[in-house]
Amino acid sequence: MKTTKLREHVTSVGDCVWEISPDAKAGMRVPARIYASRALLDQMDEGVFEQVSNVACLPGIVGAALCMPDGHWGYGFPIGGVAAFRADSGVISPGGIGFDINCGMRLIRTGLTEDAVRPRLSELVGALFAAVPSGVGARGFVHLSERDFERVMLEGAAWCVSHEYGWPEDLDRAEGRGGLAGADPAHVSARAMARGMDQLGTLGSGNHYLEIQVVPPGGIHDARAARAFGVEAPGQVMVMLHCGSRGFGHQIATDYLRLFDQVMKRDGIAVRDRELGCAPFSSAEGRAYFGAMTAAANTAFANRQLITHRVREVFARVFGRSARELGLSVVYDVCHNTAKLERHVVDGTPRDLIVHRKGATRAFGPGAVDLPDAYREVGQPVIIGGSMETGSALLVGTARAMAETWGSTAHGAGRTMSRAEARRRVGGETLIKDMAARGIVVRAASKAGIAEEAGFAYKDLRAVVDVLERLDISRRVISLTPIGNVKG
Amino acid sequence: MGQFRFVEEVALADCAVDVEGRDLGDLFETAAAALVRLMVDPATVPQTLERAVRLEAEALDLLLYDWISELIFLKDRDGEVFPRCQVRVGGDGPFQLTAELRGGAIDPERTALGADPKAVTFHQFRLEPVEGAGWRARLVIDI
């Protein structure tokens, strides 16, 4: 990769805004824009600049190819990549969504305080680890017929609620009410069905987790928004989920990347990275992928809903009160690996765009149509997962994000270190003991996997969020500190 | 068997691996071994199951893509991994693969788990002959 040369083409165009101009690489149709402080920019690996400028070459791209401050080298798009394509003449690319379709975050509040939870924390984390299957080969607890699984593809979290795996109000607290329009099971392969049907309600591995968190002292930064989201005071205990569509989504992405590899040859579409395989959104193949991808997105909402059900069962059992009495309400559920058909203003004209977010979170501002009434005045909750050691954050979307980033923001802290380097620096058992000494109880299916997720392998989340606030594309509402973690 | 080496400087959150084999069959077997090593400690997997796989693809590199995708698929559908395999690759377009796999079911009580691969990507994906003899490939596995 000619990465050094591209880094040299990065120029400042505003506070925390950097660009690579279209003349830096043959084929770029628009600039590549990176949102970062100088320090975060310097931390970004060379692949980020190569990949975001590759995205700028894709047909039908509008505005600029964007990379959020948590960006790092991925495959196809960088992680943290955002790009919008004209629905009438642009493309859709699995490489701009990722294999884990609708990987996303869900935040659940509780009416419990840290003081009430601490004495039962080990028992609670152990019970969650037992109740929510994780790791390689894990099987879910809901076993469906193919016909029922098709209903899940179409309905998402609503299927779970109608089968008593959730509360009706959970649906109000999710992007797209936990079920996106456009899912089409007819375009899902039998292999995807066979691979994913038994995995509903499983966590996965890698950086996926189920975490018990607490609002730390001084951790409420926007009291009005916090109140709207049901966060009352420091010490309140929250539960955060990070997972996606599991093998079902992975197989759909695999199937369509393979198909698009051939479609591009047929249609004479050239891309700078084969992983950016794409098809015109309006083509039969493009529409088929959109239908299958949306089906996977809806199963991911269902997956997080089923895990929520298990979380509620476990809390009720451990604390001897019902989940409703314990106040286990969903704050929000938001995707960070999707492509969605959205209407945005382009040069003063509303246009239908297919907005790709890969490791980037939707961050709609106040007044957005898709928000529940309770949040419409303050904006959409944005759930940012940090590392399991250093904490996470709840932000809120802004009007500025709508104008600047297609209503998008960061999704996490972003890695700065390879998994192997993290394993060399700390052993899984050692890390678990160290974290226990600091009051964080961890249960993990893979000891090697836990070492890979050590806090030092990630950027400083505060530095990432500082940039988001300086850009005004989202604002801090609360900080969250981990006290218990279940990992795959 | 050939050799594999995990490459750290590519795609930080995922896993890149360079694979070499003395011939195509050897390369495909070695790539499978690298994938298994990523998922589990192979010594903790019982070798009690035998499976046969047949694949056909229009290009050699797509046959490798399909092969790794098939092994990831079997891990999810059946909960099985295969530390041993014997692979034959033939044809001149389309290309065929036949493989005999030996391994077993993942048992969370006995199997030392590693990563849970989602897919093989096309990022930096390549399969090419080595000058003189043999083949090499690069795979970036999304984990």
Side-chain angles (χ1 to χ4, degrees):
Chain A
M1 293 179 106
K2 298 173 189 171
T3 47
T4 303
K5 191 176 172 188
L6 268 173
R7 185 186 280 275
E8 288 170 359
H9 280 83
V10 176
T11 57
S12 173
V13 295
D15 182 33
C16 294
V17 187
W18 309 81
E19 278 195 1
I20 301 171
S21 76
D23 56 11
K25 179 190 275 187
M28 284 177 71
R29 298 163 191 262
V30 294
R33 189 173 300 151
I34 300 134
Y35 299 102
S37 61
R38 174 89 240 184
L40 287 174
L41 186 82
D42 289 344
Q43 280 182 36
M44 284 181 178
D45 34 31
E46 303 290 339
V48 169
F49 308 109
E50 192 69 38
Q51 293 185 323
V52 72
S53 55
N54 288 343
V55 174
C57 300
L58 290 173
I61 188 166
V62 178
L66 311 179
C67 183
M68 297 295 135
D70 54 337
H72 62 85
W73 187 347
Y75 47 86
F77 277 42
I79 308 303
V82 177
F85 301 87
R86 288 180 60 129
D88 55 358
S89 58
V91 295
I92 185 168
S93 172
I97 297 161
F99 286 92
D100 198 3
I101 296 164
N102 188 5
C103 185
M105 310 291 298
R106 177 175 283 216
L107 185 64
I108 304 163
R109 66 176 181 257
T110 78
L112 294 163
T113 63
E114 183 178 2
D115 289 345
V117 170
R118 275 279 173 205
R120 314 293 295 270
L121 186 59
S122 290
E123 178 190 358
L124 182 62
V125 173
L128 288 169
F129 182 73
V132 181
S134 63
V136 187
R139 290 276 182 272
F141 62 93
V142 177
H143 303 289
L144 302 178
S145 66
E146 288 194 8
R147 190 170 171 180
D148 280 342
F149 194 67
E150 286 192 3
R151 298 310 307 171
V152 175
M153 289 186 224
L154 293 166
E155 299 170 18
W159 182 90
C160 305
V161 170
S162 66
H163 288 75
E164 301 187 350
Y165 295 115
W167 304 343
E169 61 266 37
D170 293 345
L171 303 180
D172 292 331
R173 302 291 193 267
E175 180 173 344
R177 291 182 57 79
L180 305 178
D184 190 347
H187 295 299
V188 170
S189 70
R191 284 171 70 81
M193 297 271 286
R195 186 171 166 189
M197 271 180 56
D198 283 344
Q199 292 187 329
L200 275 179
T202 63
L203 198 56
S205 74
N207 62 353
H208 293 155
Y209 59 81
L210 162 56
E211 196 162 85
I212 303 169
Q213 303 171 338
V214 63
V215 182
I220 296 182
H221 311 289
D222 179 340
R224 175 173 166 258
R227 264 196 309 279
F229 299 158
V231 180
E232 301 294 336
Q236 187 170 346
V237 168
M238 314 285 278
V239 181
M240 185 176 279
L241 305 179
H242 177 214
C243 60
S245 50
R246 308 286 293 115
F248 180 64
H250 310 164
Q251 189 63 41
I252 286 171
T254 297
D255 292 343
Y256 279 90
L257 260 176
R258 178 76 162 75
L259 173 68
F260 287 2
D261 199 57
Q262 303 304 300
V263 167
M264 287 191 302
K265 284 177 190 158
R266 183 196 70 194
D267 294 350
I269 300 173
V271 291
R272 303 288 304 222
D273 176 351
R274 201 172 174 187
E275 184 67 23
L276 286 175
C278 58
F281 182 60
S282 57
S283 69
E285 293 87 357
R287 300 303 300 199
Y289 172 61
F290 183 71
M293 183 271 297
T294 305
N298 290 344
T299 65
F301 284 123
N303 197 34
R304 293 193 286 273
Q305 183 66 47
L306 289 169
I307 293 174
T308 301
H309 175 74
R310 277 284 163 105
V311 168
R312 285 171 170 155
E313 285 184 334
V314 166
F315 268 75
R317 194 165 68 243
V318 169
F319 292 99
R321 293 156 63 195
S322 75
R324 283 203 183 272
E325 288 173 325
L326 293 168
L328 283 157
S329 295
V330 174
V331 174
Y332 206 60
D333 182 312
V334 67
C335 323
H336 55 228
N337 278 8
T338 56
K340 292 174 69 183
L341 191 57
E342 295 174 359
R343 179 159 286 194
H344 290 272
V345 177
V346 181
D347 298 330
T349 305
R351 288 199 182 280
D352 288 333
L353 303 175
I354 181 83
V355 181
H356 292 59
R357 299 185 180 94
K358 183 181 184 188
T361 311
R362 197 187 71 166
F364 281 6
V369 176
D370 188 44
L371 298 184
D373 290 343
Y375 299 166
R376 192 157 292 134
E377 274 190 33
V378 292
Q380 178 211 302
V382 172
I383 306 162
I384 302 281
S387 78
M388 63 183 183
E389 288 187 87
T390 56
S392 300
L394 178 64
L395 317 183
V396 67
T398 64
R400 181 71 193 150
M402 305 305 283
E404 178 74 24
T405 57
W406 313 120
S408 310
T409 191
H411 83 308
R415 284 192 84 88
T416 56
M417 185 183 292
S418 73
R419 293 178 177 278
E421 176 63 19
R423 286 198 304 271
R424 276 194 295 275
R425 290 202 186 185
V426 69
E429 293 283 6
T430 302
L431 183 60
I432 289 171
K433 282 180 188 163
D434 287 352
M435 289 176 66
R438 284 179 278 140
I440 308 169
V441 177
V442 180
R443 291 291 302 270
S446 164
K447 297 295 184 292
I450 200 86
E452 293 173 5
E453 296 299 320
F456 56 70
Y458 285 85
K459 294 174 191 171
D460 177 1
L461 184 66
R462 286 169 303 181
V464 171
V465 177
D466 282 347
V467 170
L468 303 178
E469 290 204 317
R470 279 166 68 177
L471 292 162
D472 192 29
I473 58 172
S474 35
R475 290 195 326 273
R476 278 184 177 86
V477 177
I478 56 171
S479 300
L480 292 160
T481 302
I483 59 171
N485 188 296
V486 172
K487 288 196 86 75
Chain B
M1 193 174 71
Q3 293 182 315
F4 63 84
R5 180 178 73 89
F6 293 111
V7 186
E8 292 184 33
E9 58 270 23
V10 174
L12 279 185
D14 299 305
C15 184
V17 56
D18 283 344
V19 184
E20 292 181 355
R22 64 179 179 279
D23 54 34
L24 280 170
D26 190 38
L27 181 128
F28 278 58
E29 290 168 9
T30 307
L35 179 71
V36 169
R37 189 65 198 85
L38 194 58
M39 295 190 286
V40 294
D41 176 351
T44 63
V45 177
Q47 298 199 17
T48 53
L49 296 173
E50 292 184 351
R51 297 274 184 263
V53 170
R54 288 177 184 275
L55 299 170
E56 181 172 288
E58 54 274 41
L60 265 178
D61 62 348
L62 291 175
L63 193 64
L64 178 61
Y65 181 88
D66 290 348
W67 166 238
I68 300 301
S69 298
E70 178 72 14
L71 296 172
I72 293 171
F73 171 77
L74 294 173
K75 172 264 299 177
D76 277 342
R77 187 191 66 179
D78 303 330
E80 295 171 357
V81 293
F82 301 94
R84 290 191 176 187
C85 62
Q86 196 164 24
V87 181
R88 286 175 299 284
V89 176
D92 53 7
F95 299 89
Q96 292 85 29
L97 172 149
T98 56
E100 287 89 45
L101 311 178
R102 189 167 176 79
I106 296 166
D107 176 356
E109 300 298 317
R110 295 174 47 195
T111 309
L113 303 179
D116 190 1
K118 298 169 187 162
V120 58
T121 78
F122 276 136
H123 182 54
Q124 298 198 359
F125 178 70
R126 58 178 177 261
L127 169 65
E128 57 199 12
V130 178
E131 200 172 313
W135 288 78
R136 68 180 162 220
R138 170 167 288 183
L139 310 171
V140 177
I141 309 289
D142 182 0
I143 53 175

